[in-house]
Amino acid sequence: MTNHSETTGSSENGDIPGPVKPGRTARTRYDGPGDEHQVTLRTPAELADALPYLLGYRPEDSIVLVALRDRDGRGRFGGRARLGIPANADDWTGAAGQLVHGLVTGSERRGVRPEQMVAYLCQEPARGETGREVMERLRPLAQKLRVECGALDVPVVEALCISAGRFWSYCCDEEACCPAEGAPMGLPGTSVLAAAATYAGIQVRGSLSELRARLLPRENAAALEQEAALDAAAVTVVSRILDDAGRSEVAEETLDLARRVMRRLADAPPVSGVPAEDLRDDQLLGHDEAAALILGLQDRTTRDRAAEWMEGDEAGPALRLWRALARRCVRSYGEHAAAPLTLAGWVAWSAGDELEAREALAMALGADPDYLFARLLHQACNEGLDPESVRRCLRAERGGRGGGGGDAADGGEQADGPAQRRPAEPSSAPQVPPGRRRRTRSAVPADGARRRARAQGREPAGRIGRPRTPAGGERPGGARTARTRSRASGAEATGRKETCVEGASAGEHATEGSEERA
């Protein structure tokens, strides 16, 4: 499970007239085309039913906070935040403080400080456990959330536990609405709120585990074939990347191959259902092709050029390709998934899908916690910044090479190598926070490659993690040693800057933040 904080949805998507109290009335307004619709939430049951529509997905093993605020005499749903429930109860105090302070301070930065809060604890029973036992076990966590909110003068007006198809209220003890054995949740999609949300175009996309499954490495017989292809490709690709001329050639070959695969994906006939779509894409991508792309994208200049396929007709096929490549980072190549996962998160964010963006970027940080591009994008996405500032930066990079607007779709040639840039872009240059050492990936190349790099005045700047070996075992040789060196494909020339992530206002840049991860 990815354990990270996030803010979801718009703070302007619903109205609640007056303070919300347990068992009292709350009205949520959804604006349909041409007229206004109101839905009345009268009970904790209806608040429980509203949760998937407030988030856009069904949370699992999660703490969720929903802010309420007053505007023109009418209450409104504000920001929403989610954090995975820590397995160790000793971590609950820290998790509660992180989530509450993150949501309140984030809302304050947007000028909409919460006045009240609704808290949800969602967790399915373990084997042999009942839903009520889950509720009782999580009661101290609910109390910690109430204490943290109270310390910031934001009272929790309802706290619900949802487990095993039932819900319990930690704030209401009226047997009529909140019995001790819990009350059953309604069937999904059958409530008045569900109908209103559907009419307004609000979709619930299933669970986070289903979304993550599209990005996780495959664990089947084909994984062995893919690993063998990665081992074989690493033998030649890594040594070429460590050479200046070879690095430029690998970049062009990687981008040209990516364009061909994207055209192949775009031309594929449609199928029904997400699993069928992913299976179709997997079948259209060969093991050798995936290996060449995964290794080529470890070079950050190549990755930045691939990030330019973030809008228009390029975005859809690019996102499908990055997902497919993330699924091919199998076994000991898990750290290599940081590049395709970051690209998938970036394209999803650029296309307006913040949910997939946050999950993909969090998974990228799980694969490589020091991957700066993922850290910057993850924080910017969580803080609700506009991705257009990053798109402008990438368009400038593309225009500076004379690449035009459609080279990915039509297979046109890139004019310059990945290290060439248009001079004097005054405000688009990426920023690294002052006073902080820039963290890069350090290479572990062979001695000869290291000497050649030094002779050229450049030490490869990429951290190459060694493949894990069993305790007491010897490091594998041959192709396995090549795999260890393959992570040198993260090398970049000294002085290479990360892609900029600007804030919504002039001069505001996202900086490195700390995220909880799996």
Side-chain angles (χ1 to χ4, degrees):
M1 181 197 72
T2 302
N3 189 32
H4 66 286
S5 63
E6 60 190 38
T7 302
T8 62
S10 166
S11 61
E12 301 293 329
N13 73 336
D15 286 354
I16 305 176
V20 178
K21 298 180 180 179
R24 301 298 177 84
T25 299
R27 293 183 177 85
T28 303
R29 183 183 70 195
Y30 294 93
D31 295 331
D35 54 6
E36 180 179 293
H37 300 270
Q38 289 189 348
V39 177
T40 302
L41 307 180
R42 294 186 174 88
T43 65
E46 290 169 334
L47 282 175
D49 179 71
L51 179 58
Y53 302 98
L54 293 173
L55 295 179
Y57 62 92
R58 302 187 185 280
E60 300 172 316
D61 200 19
S62 298
I63 312 167
V64 179
L65 290 179
V66 179
L68 307 175
R69 62 186 179 83
D70 180 78
R71 180 177 177 184
D72 300 328
R74 306 186 70 180
R76 297 179 69 89
F77 283 123
R80 277 79 82 190
R82 187 202 73 87
L83 189 69
I85 298 177
N88 190 337
D90 293 339
D91 297 329
W92 287 357
T93 299
Q98 175 187 346
L99 193 62
V100 172
H101 285 262
L103 179 56
V104 172
T105 56
S107 298
E108 287 176 338
R109 282 196 298 268
R110 293 188 291 271
V112 284
R113 190 180 196 276
E115 297 179 357
Q116 297 174 325
M117 204 79 76
V118 177
Y120 298 85
L121 299 178
C122 308
Q123 190 173 75
E124 289 305 300
R127 179 174 296 182
E129 191 177 30
T130 66
R132 181 171 181 178
E133 289 171 340
V134 172
M135 181 271 294
E136 292 295 347
R137 176 167 53 80
L138 296 179
R139 186 182 292 275
L141 176 56
Q143 182 60 24
K144 293 179 188 299
L145 290 168
R146 298 174 75 178
V147 169
E148 291 290 343
C149 288
L152 296 179
D153 295 324
V154 183
V156 174
V157 295
E158 183 56 88
L160 300 172
C161 177
I162 300 174
S163 181
R166 306 180 78 84
F167 76 90
W168 289 261
S169 172
Y170 292 112
C171 299
C172 176
D173 57 3
E174 295 183 13
E175 188 68 20
C177 66
C178 300
E181 67 275 11
M185 297 284 294
L187 293 174
T190 60
S191 66
V192 175
L193 176 61
T198 301
Y199 183 80
I202 298 175
Q203 298 180 351
V204 176
R205 298 176 53 188
S207 66
L208 289 180
S209 61
E210 293 170 343
L211 189 153
R212 294 188 189 110
R214 308 190 72 182
L215 302 168
L216 289 172
R218 298 187 302 186
E219 296 181 0
N220 52 25
L224 294 174
E225 299 176 10
Q226 183 62 69
E227 186 179 35
L230 284 161
D231 285 341
V235 173
T236 57
V237 171
V238 175
S239 60
R240 294 177 63 200
I241 288 180
L242 292 175
D243 176 77
D244 276 336
R247 183 167 177 250
S248 178
E249 292 173 358
V250 171
E252 295 302 331
E253 292 168 6
T254 300
L255 295 169
D256 287 344
L257 176 57
R259 295 184 193 106
R260 294 197 300 272
V261 176
M262 285 168 57
R263 288 197 300 273
R264 192 185 308 161
L265 295 175
D267 294 339
V271 294
S272 178
V274 169
E277 290 175 357
D278 291 343
L279 178 61
R280 172 203 58 196
D281 293 347
D282 286 339
Q283 293 172 341
L284 292 171
L285 181 63
H287 293 311
D288 292 341
E289 292 176 322
L293 290 169
I294 289 169
L295 294 171
L297 288 172
Q298 302 308 303
D299 179 78
R300 297 184 180 183
T301 57
T302 308
R303 177 209 65 194
D304 286 355
R305 291 177 64 180
E308 296 167 5
W309 305 329
M310 75 282 187
E311 56 190 344
D313 293 339
E314 299 171 342
L319 180 56
R320 289 163 58 188
L321 175 57
W322 308 144
R323 288 187 192 127
L325 291 179
R327 294 193 293 268
R328 300 297 186 95
C329 294
V330 296
R331 299 168 68 85
S332 56
Y333 285 89
E335 185 178 340
H336 288 68
L341 285 170
T342 300
L343 289 170
W346 158 237
V347 176
W349 185 35
S350 177
D353 189 347
E354 294 184 4
L355 174 59
E356 181 169 1
R358 278 189 299 269
E359 290 307 309
L361 293 169
M363 291 173 69
L365 291 171
D368 183 352
D370 296 328
Y371 207 72
L372 182 57
F373 193 26
R375 292 173 70 87
L376 294 173
L377 291 174
H378 190 235
Q379 182 171 345
C381 183
N382 281 344
E383 292 184 354
L385 302 184
D386 188 352
E388 176 58 23
S389 58
V390 187
R391 286 194 292 261
R392 285 198 303 267
C393 180
L394 292 174
R395 290 188 200 110
E397 296 269 327
R398 189 175 192 169
R401 289 190 306 273
D407 58 344
D410 60 20
E413 294 289 338
Q414 293 283 1
D416 300 317
Q420 293 180 331
R421 296 290 178 267
R422 182 171 70 177
E425 277 295 327
S427 62
S428 298
Q431 302 294 320
V432 176
R436 183 176 307 208
R437 178 176 296 176
R438 184 166 176 264
R439 304 185 69 176
T440 55
R441 313 182 79 177
S442 62
V444 187
D447 291 341
R450 185 185 297 275
R451 286 194 297 270
R452 288 195 303 271
R454 286 174 176 165
Q456 295 163 0
R458 170 173 66 85
E459 179 72 15
R463 179 173 58 79
I464 311 304
R466 298 183 183 276
R468 296 182 178 87
T469 57
E474 295 182 358
R475 182 169 293 111
R480 302 292 182 181
T481 304
R483 178 187 341 162
T484 302
R485 295 197 303 269
S486 74
R487 296 182 185 170
S489 52
E492 55 182 318
T494 302
R496 172 77 178 112
K497 298 178 179 179
E498 287 287 346
T499 302
C500 63
V501 182
E502 298 178 354
S505 58
E508 179 184 357
H509 291 267
T511 59
E512 291 185 55
S514 60
E515 294 92 359
E516 294 289 333
R517 60 184 180 275

